[in-house]
Amino acid sequence: MIPLKDENPTSTTPVVTIVLIAACVAVWVLIQGAGNRTDDVEFTVKTAAIPCEVVKGRPLSQEELFDTFGPAQDEASCVADPDTPAEFPHKRVFVALVFSMFMHGSWIHLGGNM
């Protein structure tokens, strides 16, 4: 149930909440292009946290990237010691983890979360 009012109202402005909402909207509109990007998969792989990367602490290799996003769509393609180099070697995996907290998939996703 969505609360319509509070029995213990506060007199302060929720500054942190407003800043987080503004950050999410800014990332969606300015960085993600409000869903109008034509390179969604490449953008996502370059900037968002991918579970395999977080677990291994390194960017996806070319082999893992092809197996995951190619025709096979194998989500379990995370390997311990890949044979190919990283597709985006300069990606900072743990920075991407923080950045992913502000990313959204659509206006409905953004609105529902806010």
Side-chain angles (χ1 to χ4, degrees):
M1 189 100 172
I2 298 173
L4 299 177
K5 66 180 187 172
D6 190 358
E7 296 296 325
N8 300 320
T10 60
S11 60
T12 60
T13 303
V15 177
V16 174
T17 302
I18 293 169
V19 168
L20 287 173
I21 290 172
C24 287
V25 172
V27 167
W28 171 244
V29 173
L30 301 175
I31 297 175
Q32 289 186 265
N36 294 325
R37 296 186 66 93
T38 57
D39 59 346
D40 280 337
V41 173
E42 181 180 353
F43 175 78
T44 300
V45 172
K46 284 168 91 171
T47 57
I50 298 172
C52 176
E53 294 177 333
V54 175
V55 170
K56 299 295 182 183
R58 60 167 174 77
L60 285 179
S61 69
Q62 293 170 348
E63 172 188 2
E64 292 167 324
L65 185 65
F66 180 77
D67 290 345
T68 303
F69 295 101
Q73 298 284 314
D74 180 14
E75 295 176 6
S77 64
C78 191
V79 296
D81 190 24
D83 295 331
T84 57
E87 181 68 22
F88 302 106
H90 301 295
K91 179 178 180 179
R92 291 176 283 173
V93 175
F94 298 106
V95 172
L97 187 63
V98 173
F99 183 68
S100 291
M101 292 189 287
F102 297 95
M103 294 177 68
H104 290 83
S106 68
W107 282 107
I108 294 172
H109 182 200
L110 178 67
N113 283 356
M114 298 304 108

